[in-house]
Coordinates of all heavy atoms in Angstrom, one line a residue:
M30 N 0.8 -1.2 0.0 CA 0.0 0.0 0.0 C 0.9 1.2 0.0 O 1.9 1.3 0.7 CB -0.9 0.0 1.3 CG -1.8 1.1 1.3 SD -2.9 1.0 2.7 CE -2.9 2.7 3.3
A31 N 0.5 2.2 -0.8 CA 1.3 3.5 -0.8 C 1.1 4.3 0.5 O 0.0 4.3 1.0 CB 0.8 4.3 -2.0
E32 N 2.1 4.9 0.9 CA 2.1 5.6 2.2 C 2.4 7.1 1.9 O 3.5 7.4 1.4 CB 3.0 5.0 3.2 CG 2.6 3.6 3.6 CD 3.6 3.0 4.6 OE1 4.7 3.5 4.6 OE2 3.2 2.1 5.2
F33 N 1.5 8.0 2.1 CA 1.7 9.4 1.9 C 1.5 10.2 3.1 O 0.6 9.8 3.9 CB 0.7 9.9 0.8 CG 0.9 9.3 -0.6 CD1 0.1 8.2 -1.0 CD2 1.9 9.7 -1.4 CE1 0.3 7.7 -2.2 CE2 2.2 9.2 -2.6 CZ 1.3 8.1 -3.1
C34 N 2.2 11.3 3.2 CA 1.9 12.2 4.4 C 0.7 13.0 4.0 O 0.2 13.0 2.9 CB 3.1 13.1 4.6 SG 3.5 14.2 3.2
L35 N 0.1 13.7 4.9 CA -1.1 14.5 4.7 C -0.9 15.5 3.7 O -1.8 15.7 2.8 CB -1.6 15.1 6.0 CG -3.0 15.7 6.0 CD1 -4.0 14.7 5.6 CD2 -3.3 16.4 7.3
D36 N 0.2 16.2 3.6 CA 0.5 17.3 2.7 C 0.5 16.7 1.2 O -0.2 17.3 0.3 CB 1.8 18.0 2.9 CG 1.8 18.7 4.3 OD1 0.7 19.1 4.7 OD2 2.9 18.8 4.9
C37 N 1.2 15.6 1.0 CA 1.2 15.0 -0.3 C -0.1 14.4 -0.7 O -0.5 14.5 -1.9 CB 2.3 13.9 -0.4 SG 4.0 14.5 -0.2
W38 N -0.8 13.9 0.2 CA -2.2 13.3 0.0 C -3.1 14.4 -0.5 O -3.9 14.2 -1.5 CB -2.7 12.6 1.2 CG -4.0 12.0 1.0 CD1 -5.2 12.4 1.4 CD2 -4.2 10.7 0.4 NE1 -6.2 11.5 1.0 CE2 -5.6 10.5 0.4 CE3 -3.4 9.8 -0.2 CZ2 -6.2 9.4 -0.2 CZ3 -4.0 8.7 -0.8 CH2 -5.4 8.4 -0.7
N39 N -3.0 15.6 0.2 CA -3.9 16.7 -0.3 C -3.5 17.2 -1.6 O -4.3 17.7 -2.4 CB -3.9 17.8 0.8 CG -4.7 17.5 2.0 OD1 -5.6 16.7 2.0 ND2 -4.3 18.0 3.2
K40 N -2.2 17.2 -1.9 CA -1.7 17.7 -3.2 C -2.2 16.7 -4.3 O -2.6 17.2 -5.4 CB -0.2 17.8 -3.3 CG 0.4 19.0 -2.7 CD 1.9 19.0 -2.9 CE 2.6 19.7 -1.8 NZ 4.0 19.5 -1.9
I41 N -2.1 15.4 -4.1 CA -2.5 14.4 -5.1 C -4.0 14.5 -5.4 O -4.4 14.5 -6.5 CB -2.1 13.0 -4.6 CG1 -0.5 12.9 -4.6 CG2 -2.7 11.9 -5.5 CD1 -0.1 11.6 -3.9
N42 N -4.8 14.6 -4.3 CA -6.2 14.6 -4.5 C -6.8 16.0 -4.7 O -8.1 16.1 -4.8 CB -6.9 13.9 -3.3 CG -6.5 12.4 -3.2 OD1 -6.5 11.8 -4.3 ND2 -6.2 11.9 -2.1
E43 N -6.0 17.0 -4.7 CA -6.4 18.4 -4.8 C -7.6 18.7 -3.8 O -8.6 19.2 -4.2 CB -6.9 18.7 -6.2 CG -5.8 18.5 -7.3 CD -6.3 18.7 -8.7 OE1 -7.5 18.8 -8.9 OE2 -5.4 18.7 -9.6
S44 N -7.3 18.4 -2.5 CA -8.2 18.6 -1.5 C -7.5 19.3 -0.3 O -6.3 19.6 -0.4 CB -8.9 17.3 -1.0 OG -7.8 16.5 -0.4
N45 N -8.3 19.7 0.7 CA -7.8 20.4 1.9 C -8.3 19.7 3.1 O -8.9 20.3 4.0 CB -8.1 21.9 1.9 CG -7.4 22.6 2.9 OD1 -6.4 22.2 3.4 ND2 -7.9 23.8 3.2
D46 N -8.0 18.4 3.2 CA -8.5 17.6 4.3 C -7.7 17.8 5.6 O -6.5 18.1 5.5 CB -8.5 16.1 4.0 CG -9.4 15.7 2.9 OD1 -10.4 16.5 2.7 OD2 -9.2 14.7 2.2
S47 N -8.3 17.7 6.7 CA -7.6 17.9 8.0 C -7.1 16.6 8.5 O -7.5 15.5 8.0 CB -8.5 18.6 9.0 OG -9.5 17.8 9.4
E48 N -6.3 16.6 9.6 CA -5.8 15.4 10.2 C -6.9 14.6 10.9 O -6.8 13.4 11.1 CB -4.8 15.8 11.3 CG -3.5 16.2 10.7 CD -2.4 16.4 11.8 OE1 -2.6 15.9 12.9 OE2 -1.4 17.1 11.5
K49 N -8.1 15.3 11.2 CA -9.1 14.6 11.9 C -9.8 13.6 11.0 O -10.5 12.7 11.5 CB -10.2 15.6 12.4 CG -9.6 16.5 13.5 CD -10.7 17.5 13.9 CE -10.1 18.4 15.0 NZ -11.1 19.4 15.5
K50 N -9.7 13.7 9.7 CA -10.4 12.8 8.8 C -9.6 11.5 8.7 O -10.2 10.4 8.3 CB -10.5 13.4 7.4 CG -11.3 12.6 6.4 CD -11.5 13.3 5.1 CE -12.3 12.4 4.2 NZ -12.5 13.1 2.9
Y51 N -8.3 11.5 9.0 CA -7.5 10.3 8.8 C -6.8 9.9 10.1 O -6.6 10.7 11.0 CB -6.4 10.6 7.8 CG -6.9 11.0 6.5 CD1 -6.9 12.3 6.1 CD2 -7.5 10.1 5.6 CE1 -7.4 12.7 4.8 CE2 -8.0 10.4 4.4 CZ -8.0 11.8 4.0 OH -8.5 12.1 2.8
I52 N -6.4 8.6 10.2 CA -5.6 8.1 11.3 C -4.2 8.2 10.8 O -3.8 7.7 9.8 CB -6.0 6.7 11.6 CG1 -7.4 6.6 12.1 CG2 -5.0 6.1 12.7 CD1 -7.9 5.2 12.4
I53 N -3.4 9.0 11.5 CA -2.0 9.3 11.2 C -1.1 8.4 12.0 O -1.3 8.3 13.2 CB -1.6 10.8 11.4 CG1 -2.7 11.7 10.6 CG2 -0.2 11.1 10.9 CD1 -2.6 11.7 9.2
S54 N 0.0 7.9 11.5 CA 0.9 7.0 12.2 C 1.6 7.9 13.2 O 1.9 9.1 13.0 CB 1.9 6.3 11.3 OG 2.7 7.3 10.7
K55 N 2.0 7.3 14.4 CA 2.8 8.0 15.4 C 4.3 8.0 15.0 O 5.0 8.9 15.4 CB 2.6 7.3 16.7 CG 1.2 7.5 17.2 CD 0.9 6.8 18.5 CE -0.5 6.9 19.0 NZ -0.8 6.1 20.2
D56 N 4.7 6.9 14.3 CA 6.1 6.8 14.0 C 6.4 7.5 12.6 O 5.5 7.6 11.8 CB 6.5 5.3 13.9 CG 6.3 4.6 15.2 OD1 6.5 5.2 16.2 OD2 6.0 3.4 15.2
L57 N 7.6 7.8 12.4 CA 8.0 8.4 11.1 C 8.1 7.3 10.1 O 8.6 6.2 10.4 CB 9.3 9.2 11.2 CG 9.3 10.4 12.2 CD1 10.7 11.0 12.2 CD2 8.2 11.4 11.8
D58 N 7.7 7.6 8.9 CA 7.8 6.6 7.8 C 8.1 7.4 6.5 O 7.9 8.6 6.4 CB 6.5 5.9 7.6 CG 6.7 4.5 7.0 OD1 7.8 4.2 6.5 OD2 5.7 3.7 6.9
L59 N 8.6 6.7 5.5 CA 9.0 7.4 4.3 C 7.8 7.7 3.5 O 7.1 6.8 3.1 CB 10.0 6.5 3.5 CG 10.6 7.1 2.3 CD1 11.4 8.3 2.6 CD2 11.4 6.0 1.5
C60 N 7.6 9.0 3.2 CA 6.5 9.4 2.4 C 6.9 9.1 0.9 O 7.9 9.5 0.5 CB 6.1 10.9 2.6 SG 4.9 11.5 1.4
E61 N 6.0 8.5 0.2 CA 6.3 8.2 -1.2 C 6.0 9.3 -2.2 O 6.4 9.3 -3.3 CB 5.4 7.0 -1.7 CG 5.8 5.7 -0.9 CD 5.0 4.5 -1.3 OE1 4.4 4.5 -2.4 OE2 5.1 3.5 -0.6
G62 N 5.4 10.4 -1.6 CA 5.2 11.6 -2.5 C 6.4 12.5 -2.5 O 6.9 12.9 -3.5
C63 N 6.9 12.9 -1.3 CA 8.0 13.9 -1.2 C 9.3 13.2 -0.8 O 10.3 13.8 -0.9 CB 7.6 14.9 -0.2 SG 7.3 14.3 1.5
G64 N 9.3 11.9 -0.4 CA 10.5 11.2 -0.1 C 11.1 11.6 1.3 O 12.3 11.3 1.5
E65 N 10.3 12.3 2.2 CA 10.8 12.7 3.5 C 10.3 11.7 4.5 O 9.3 11.0 4.3 CB 10.4 14.1 3.8 CG 11.0 15.1 2.8 CD 10.5 16.5 3.2 OE1 10.0 16.7 4.3 OE2 10.6 17.4 2.3
W66 N 10.9 11.7 5.7 CA 10.5 10.9 6.8 C 9.4 11.7 7.6 O 9.8 12.7 8.3 CB 11.6 10.5 7.7 CG 12.5 9.5 7.0 CD1 13.6 9.8 6.3 CD2 12.4 8.1 7.1 NE1 14.2 8.6 5.8 CE2 13.4 7.6 6.3 CE3 11.4 7.3 7.6 CZ2 13.5 6.2 6.1 CZ3 11.6 5.9 7.4 CH2 12.6 5.4 6.6
K67 N 8.2 11.3 7.5 CA 7.1 12.1 8.1 C 6.0 11.0 8.6 O 6.0 9.9 8.2 CB 6.4 13.0 7.2 CG 7.1 14.2 6.7 CD 6.3 15.0 5.8 CE 6.9 16.2 5.3 NZ 6.1 17.0 4.3
P68 N 5.2 11.5 9.5 CA 4.0 10.6 9.9 C 3.1 10.4 8.6 O 2.9 11.4 7.9 CB 3.3 11.3 11.0 CG 4.3 12.3 11.5 CD 5.2 12.6 10.4
V69 N 2.7 9.3 8.3 CA 1.9 9.0 7.1 C 0.5 8.6 7.5 O 0.2 8.3 8.6 CB 2.6 7.9 6.3 CG1 3.9 8.4 5.7 CG2 2.7 6.6 7.0
I70 N -0.4 8.7 6.5 CA -1.8 8.3 6.7 C -1.9 6.8 6.7 O -1.4 6.1 5.8 CB -2.7 8.9 5.5 CG1 -2.6 10.4 5.6 CG2 -4.1 8.3 5.6 CD1 -3.3 11.0 4.4
I71 N -2.6 6.3 7.7 CA -2.8 4.8 7.8 C -4.1 4.4 7.2 O -4.2 3.6 6.3 CB -2.8 4.4 9.3 CG1 -1.4 4.6 9.9 CG2 -3.2 2.9 9.4 CD1 -1.3 4.3 11.4
M72 N -5.2 5.1 7.6 CA -6.5 4.8 7.0 C -7.5 6.0 7.3 O -7.2 6.8 8.2 CB -7.1 3.5 7.5 CG -7.5 3.5 8.9 SD -8.1 1.9 9.6 CE -8.7 1.0 8.3
E73 N -8.6 6.0 6.6 CA -9.6 7.0 6.8 C -10.4 6.6 8.1 O -10.6 5.4 8.3 CB -10.5 7.1 5.6 CG -11.4 8.3 5.6 CD -12.2 8.4 4.3 OE1 -12.0 7.6 3.4 OE2 -13.0 9.3 4.2
R74 N -10.8 7.6 8.9 CA -11.4 7.3 10.1 C -12.8 6.6 10.0 O -13.1 5.7 10.8 CB -11.7 8.5 11.0 CG -10.4 9.0 11.6 CD -10.8 10.0 12.7 NE -9.5 10.6 13.2 CZ -8.8 10.1 14.2 NH1 -9.2 9.0 14.8 NH2 -7.7 10.7 14.6
R75 N -13.5 6.9 8.9 CA -14.8 6.3 8.7 C -14.7 4.8 8.6 O -15.4 4.0 9.3 CB -15.5 6.8 7.4 CG -16.8 6.2 7.1 CD -17.3 6.8 5.8 NE -16.2 6.9 4.9 CZ -16.3 6.5 3.6 NH1 -17.4 6.0 3.2 NH2 -15.2 6.6 2.8
A76 N -13.7 4.3 7.9 CA -13.4 2.9 7.7 C -12.9 2.3 9.1 O -13.2 1.2 9.4 CB -12.4 2.6 6.6
Y77 N -12.2 3.1 9.8 CA -11.6 2.6 11.1 C -12.8 2.3 12.1 O -12.8 1.3 12.7 CB -10.7 3.7 11.7 CG -10.3 3.5 13.1 CD1 -9.2 2.5 13.3 CD2 -10.8 4.1 14.1 CE1 -8.8 2.3 14.6 CE2 -10.3 3.9 15.4 CZ -9.3 3.0 15.6 OH -8.9 2.7 16.9
Y78 N -13.8 3.3 12.2 CA -14.9 3.0 13.1 C -15.8 1.9 12.6 O -16.3 1.1 13.4 CB -15.7 4.3 13.3 CG -14.9 5.4 14.0 CD1 -14.7 6.6 13.5 CD2 -14.4 5.1 15.3 CE1 -14.0 7.6 14.2 CE2 -13.7 6.0 16.0 CZ -13.5 7.2 15.5 OH -12.8 8.2 16.2
A79 N -16.0 1.7 11.3 CA -16.7 0.6 10.8 C -16.0 -0.7 11.2 O -16.7 -1.7 11.5 CB -17.0 0.7 9.3
H80 N -14.7 -0.7 11.1 CA -13.9 -1.9 11.4 C -14.1 -2.2 12.9 O -14.2 -3.4 13.3 CB -12.5 -1.6 11.1 CG -11.6 -2.8 11.3 ND1 -11.6 -3.9 10.5 CD2 -10.6 -3.0 12.3 CE1 -10.7 -4.8 11.0 NE2 -10.1 -4.3 12.0
K81 N -14.1 -1.2 13.8 CA -14.3 -1.4 15.2 C -15.7 -1.9 15.5 O -15.9 -2.7 16.4 CB -14.0 -0.2 16.0 CG -12.5 0.2 16.0 CD -11.7 -0.8 16.7 CE -10.3 -0.4 16.8 NZ -9.4 -1.4 17.4
L82 N -16.7 -1.4 14.8 CA -18.1 -1.8 15.1 C -18.4 -3.2 14.7 O -19.5 -3.7 15.0 CB -19.0 -0.8 14.4 CG -19.1 0.6 15.1 CD1 -20.0 1.5 14.3 CD2 -19.7 0.4 16.5
R83 N -17.6 -3.8 13.9 CA -17.9 -5.2 13.5 C -18.1 -6.1 14.7 O -18.8 -7.1 14.6 CB -16.8 -5.7 12.5 CG -15.5 -6.1 13.2 CD -14.5 -6.6 12.2 NE -13.4 -7.3 12.7 CZ -12.4 -6.7 13.3 NH1 -12.3 -5.4 13.3 NH2 -11.4 -7.4 13.8
Y84 N -17.5 -5.8 15.8 CA -17.6 -6.7 17.0 C -19.0 -6.5 17.6 O -19.5 -7.4 18.3 CB -16.6 -6.3 18.0 CG -15.2 -6.6 17.6 CD1 -14.2 -5.6 17.5 CD2 -14.8 -7.9 17.3 CE1 -13.0 -5.8 17.1 CE2 -13.5 -8.1 16.9 CZ -12.6 -7.1 16.8 OH -11.3 -7.4 16.4
V85 N -19.7 -5.4 17.3 CA -21.1 -5.2 17.8 C -22.0 -5.7 16.8 O -23.1 -6.3 17.1 CB -21.3 -3.7 18.1 CG1 -22.7 -3.4 18.4 CG2 -20.4 -3.2 19.2
I86 N -21.8 -5.5 15.5 CA -22.7 -5.8 14.4 C -22.7 -7.3 14.2 O -23.8 -7.9 13.9 CB -22.3 -5.0 13.1 CG1 -22.5 -3.6 13.4 CG2 -23.1 -5.5 11.9 CD1 -22.0 -2.7 12.3
L87 N -21.6 -8.0 14.3 CA -21.6 -9.5 14.0 C -22.5 -10.2 14.9 O -23.3 -11.1 14.4 CB -20.2 -10.0 14.1 CG -20.0 -11.5 13.7 CD1 -20.3 -11.7 12.3 CD2 -18.6 -11.9 14.1
P88 N -22.5 -10.1 16.2 CA -23.5 -10.8 17.0 C -25.0 -10.5 16.7 O -25.8 -11.4 16.7 CB -23.2 -10.4 18.5 CG -21.8 -9.9 18.4 CD -21.6 -9.3 17.1
L89 N -25.2 -9.2 16.3 CA -26.6 -8.9 15.9 C -27.0 -9.6 14.6 O -28.1 -10.0 14.4 CB -26.7 -7.4 15.7 CG -26.6 -6.5 17.0 CD1 -26.6 -5.1 16.7 CD2 -27.7 -6.9 18.0
K90 N -26.1 -9.7 13.7 CA -26.3 -10.4 12.4 C -26.6 -11.9 12.7 O -27.5 -12.5 12.1 CB -25.1 -10.3 11.5 CG -25.1 -9.0 10.7 CD -23.9 -9.0 9.7 CE -23.8 -7.8 8.9 NZ -22.7 -7.8 8.0
I91 N -25.8 -12.5 13.6 CA -26.0 -13.9 13.9 C -27.4 -14.1 14.5 O -28.1 -15.0 14.2 CB -24.9 -14.4 14.8 CG1 -23.6 -14.4 14.0 CG2 -25.2 -15.8 15.4 CD1 -22.4 -14.7 14.9
I92 N -27.8 -13.2 15.5 CA -29.1 -13.3 16.1 C -30.2 -13.2 15.1 O -31.2 -13.9 15.1 CB -29.2 -12.3 17.3 CG1 -28.3 -12.7 18.4 CG2 -30.6 -12.2 17.8 CD1 -28.1 -11.6 19.5
C93 N -30.1 -12.2 14.2 CA -31.1 -12.0 13.2 C -31.2 -13.2 12.3 O -32.3 -13.6 11.9 CB -30.8 -10.8 12.4 SG -31.1 -9.2 13.3
M94 N -30.1 -13.8 11.9 CA -30.1 -15.0 11.0 C -30.8 -16.2 11.7 O -31.5 -16.9 11.1 CB -28.7 -15.3 10.6 CG -28.1 -14.4 9.6 SD -29.1 -14.2 8.1 CE -28.9 -15.8 7.4
V95 N -30.5 -16.3 13.0 CA -31.2 -17.4 13.8 C -32.7 -17.2 13.8 O -33.5 -18.1 13.5 CB -30.6 -17.5 15.2 CG1 -31.4 -18.4 16.1 CG2 -29.1 -18.0 15.1
F96 N -33.1 -16.0 14.1 CA -34.6 -15.7 14.1 C -35.2 -15.9 12.7 O -36.3 -16.4 12.6 CB -34.9 -14.3 14.6 CG -34.8 -14.2 16.1 CD1 -34.0 -13.3 16.7 CD2 -35.6 -15.0 16.9 CE1 -33.9 -13.2 18.1 CE2 -35.6 -14.9 18.2 CZ -34.7 -14.0 18.8
L97 N -34.4 -15.5 11.6 CA -34.9 -15.7 10.3 C -35.1 -17.2 10.0 O -36.2 -17.6 9.4 CB -34.0 -15.1 9.3 CG -34.4 -15.2 7.8 CD1 -35.6 -14.4 7.5 CD2 -33.2 -14.7 6.9
V98 N -34.2 -18.0 10.3 CA -34.3 -19.5 10.1 C -35.4 -20.0 10.9 O -36.2 -20.8 10.3 CB -32.9 -20.2 10.4 CG1 -33.1 -21.7 10.4 CG2 -31.9 -19.8 9.4
L99 N -35.6 -19.7 12.1 CA -36.7 -20.2 13.0 C -38.0 -19.7 12.4 O -39.0 -20.5 12.4 CB -36.5 -19.7 14.4 CG -35.4 -20.3 15.2 CD1 -35.3 -19.7 16.6 CD2 -35.6 -21.8 15.3
W100 N -38.1 -18.5 11.9 CA -39.3 -18.0 11.3 C -39.7 -18.8 10.1 O -40.8 -19.2 9.9 CB -39.2 -16.5 11.0 CG -40.4 -16.0 10.3 CD1 -40.5 -15.6 9.0 CD2 -41.7 -15.8 10.8 NE1 -41.7 -15.2 8.7 CE2 -42.5 -15.3 9.8 CE3 -42.3 -16.0 12.1 CZ2 -43.8 -14.9 10.0 CZ3 -43.6 -15.6 12.2 CH2 -44.4 -15.1 11.2
R101 N -38.7 -19.0 9.2 CA -39.0 -19.8 8.0 C -39.4 -21.2 8.3 O -40.2 -21.8 7.7 CB -37.7 -19.8 7.1 CG -37.3 -18.5 6.6 CD -38.2 -17.9 5.6 NE -38.2 -18.7 4.4 CZ -38.9 -18.4 3.3 NH1 -39.7 -17.4 3.4 NH2 -38.9 -19.2 2.3
L102 N -38.8 -21.8 9.4 CA -39.2 -23.2 9.8 C -40.6 -23.2 10.3 O -41.4 -24.1 10.2 CB -38.2 -23.7 10.8 CG -36.9 -24.2 10.2 CD1 -36.0 -24.6 11.4 CD2 -37.0 -25.3 9.3
L103 N -41.0 -22.1 11.0 CA -42.3 -22.0 11.6 C -43.4 -21.8 10.5 O -44.5 -22.4 10.6 CB -42.3 -20.8 12.5 CG -43.6 -20.5 13.3 CD1 -43.8 -21.7 14.3 CD2 -43.6 -19.2 14.0
I104 N -43.1 -21.1 9.5 CA -44.2 -20.9 8.4 C -44.1 -21.9 7.3 O -44.9 -21.9 6.4 CB -44.1 -19.5 7.9 CG1 -42.8 -19.2 7.1 CG2 -44.4 -18.4 8.9 CD1 -42.8 -18.0 6.3
L105 N -43.1 -22.8 7.4 CA -43.0 -23.8 6.3 C -44.2 -24.7 6.2 O -44.7 -24.9 5.1 CB -41.8 -24.7 6.6 CG -41.5 -25.8 5.5 CD1 -41.2 -25.1 4.2 CD2 -40.3 -26.6 6.0
P106 N -44.9 -25.2 7.3 CA -46.1 -26.0 7.1 C -47.2 -25.2 6.4 O -47.9 -25.8 5.6 CB -46.5 -26.4 8.5 CG -45.2 -26.3 9.3 CD -44.4 -25.2 8.7
Y107 N -47.3 -24.0 6.7 CA -48.4 -23.1 6.1 C -48.1 -23.0 4.6 O -49.0 -23.1 3.8 CB -48.4 -21.8 6.8 CG -49.4 -20.8 6.0 CD1 -50.7 -21.0 6.1 CD2 -48.8 -19.8 5.3 CE1 -51.6 -20.1 5.4 CE2 -49.6 -18.9 4.6 CZ -51.0 -19.1 4.7 OH -51.8 -18.2 4.0
L108 N -46.8 -22.8 4.2 CA -46.5 -22.6 2.8 C -46.7 -23.9 2.1 O -47.2 -23.9 0.9 CB -45.0 -22.2 2.7 CG -44.7 -20.8 3.2 CD1 -43.2 -20.5 3.1 CD2 -45.5 -19.7 2.5
I109 N -46.4 -25.0 2.7 CA -46.7 -26.3 2.0 C -48.2 -26.5 1.8 O -48.7 -26.9 0.8 CB -46.1 -27.5 2.9 CG1 -44.5 -27.4 2.8 CG2 -46.6 -28.8 2.3 CD1 -43.9 -28.3 3.8
F110 N -49.0 -26.2 2.9 CA -50.4 -26.3 2.8 C -51.0 -25.4 1.7 O -51.8 -25.8 0.9 CB -51.1 -25.9 4.1 CG -52.5 -25.8 4.1 CD1 -53.3 -26.9 4.0 CD2 -53.1 -24.5 4.1 CE1 -54.7 -26.8 4.0 CE2 -54.5 -24.4 4.1 CZ -55.3 -25.5 4.0
K111 N -50.5 -24.2 1.6 CA -51.0 -23.2 0.6 C -50.6 -23.7 -0.8 O -51.4 -23.6 -1.7 CB -50.3 -21.9 0.9 CG -50.9 -20.7 0.1 CD -50.3 -19.4 0.6 CE -50.9 -18.3 -0.3 NZ -50.3 -17.0 0.2
Y112 N -49.4 -24.2 -1.0 CA -49.0 -24.8 -2.2 C -49.8 -25.9 -2.7 O -50.3 -26.0 -3.8 CB -47.5 -25.2 -2.2 CG -47.0 -25.8 -3.4 CD1 -46.7 -25.0 -4.5 CD2 -46.8 -27.2 -3.5 CE1 -46.2 -25.6 -5.7 CE2 -46.3 -27.8 -4.7 CZ -46.0 -27.0 -5.8 OH -45.6 -27.5 -6.9
N113 N -50.1 -26.9 -1.8 CA -50.9 -28.0 -2.1 C -52.3 -27.6 -2.5 O -53.0 -28.2 -3.4 CB -50.9 -29.0 -1.0 CG -49.6 -29.8 -0.8 OD1 -48.9 -29.9 -1.8 ND2 -49.3 -30.3 0.3
K114 N -52.8 -26.6 -1.8 CA -54.2 -26.1 -2.0 C -54.3 -25.5 -3.4 O -55.2 -25.7 -4.1 CB -54.6 -25.1 -1.0 CG -56.0 -24.7 -1.0 CD -56.4 -23.8 0.2 CE -57.8 -23.4 0.1 NZ -58.2 -22.5 1.1
S115 N -53.2 -24.8 -3.8 CA -53.2 -24.1 -5.1 C -53.1 -25.2 -6.2 O -53.6 -24.9 -7.3 CB -52.2 -23.1 -5.2 OG -50.9 -23.7 -5.2
M116 N -52.4 -26.2 -5.9 CA -52.2 -27.3 -6.9 C -53.5 -28.0 -7.2 O -53.7 -28.6 -8.3 CB -51.1 -28.2 -6.6 CG -49.7 -27.6 -6.6 SD -49.2 -26.9 -8.1 CE -48.9 -28.4 -9.0
K117 N -54.4 -28.2 -6.2 CA -55.6 -28.9 -6.3 C -56.6 -28.1 -7.2 O -57.4 -28.6 -7.9 CB -56.2 -29.2 -5.0 CG -55.5 -30.2 -4.2 CD -56.2 -30.5 -2.9 CE -55.4 -31.5 -2.1 NZ -55.9 -31.7 -0.7
N118 N -56.5 -26.8 -7.1 CA -57.4 -25.9 -7.9 C -57.0 -25.9 -9.3 O -56.9 -26.0 -10.3 CB -57.5 -24.5 -7.4 CG -58.2 -24.5 -6.0 OD1 -59.0 -25.4 -5.7 ND2 -57.9 -23.5 -5.2

């Protein structure tokens, strides 16, 4: 992955983003834009928080899938009855 400092990133994308939008490394790393040792951008914060929330969302997805399967098993006899009734007509 390419590593750019915030200044080079803003030059490349022709934007004026602040440090609050990105997670910046604490250690110095070689910027591929200017070739200097600077803190570089690791990732955008929006993706960072979505990555952290996966621990909350995953159990909710599992619970919803279990309820969905149970619901489908519960209505299966009715669907079979309805199908057989429509086939007789």
Side-chain angles (χ1 to χ4, degrees):
M30 183 178 137
E32 297 176 339
F33 295 101
C34 64
L35 186 61
D36 298 330
C37 293
W38 184 257
N39 285 334
K40 279 186 213 173
I41 292 169
N42 294 320
E43 297 175 355
S44 63
N45 192 17
D46 297 334
S47 68
E48 288 186 17
K49 293 181 181 180
K50 186 174 179 181
Y51 302 102
I52 297 176
I53 309 290
S54 68
K55 295 178 183 175
D56 299 327
L57 297 178
D58 205 352
L59 184 64
C60 173
E61 294 181 14
C63 59
E65 296 178 17
W66 290 92
K67 292 183 178 179
V69 295
I70 295 174
I71 297 175
M72 69 184 336
E73 194 173 355
R74 283 199 188 271
R75 179 181 42 132
Y77 173 76
Y78 290 122
H80 183 72
K81 290 293 184 186
L82 285 177
R83 77 182 192 279
Y84 296 118
V85 174
I86 294 172
L87 182 65
L89 293 176
K90 281 185 178 180
I91 292 171
I92 290 170
C93 288
M94 289 302 294
V95 167
F96 281 124
L97 179 66
V98 168
L99 290 175
W100 174 252
R101 296 292 290 179
L102 287 174
L103 184 67
I104 65 168
L105 183 63
Y107 172 72
L108 294 175
I109 293 171
F110 171 75
K111 190 174 179 180
Y112 176 76
N113 287 336
K114 188 176 179 182
S115 69
M116 292 303 285
K117 288 181 183 177
N118 293 336

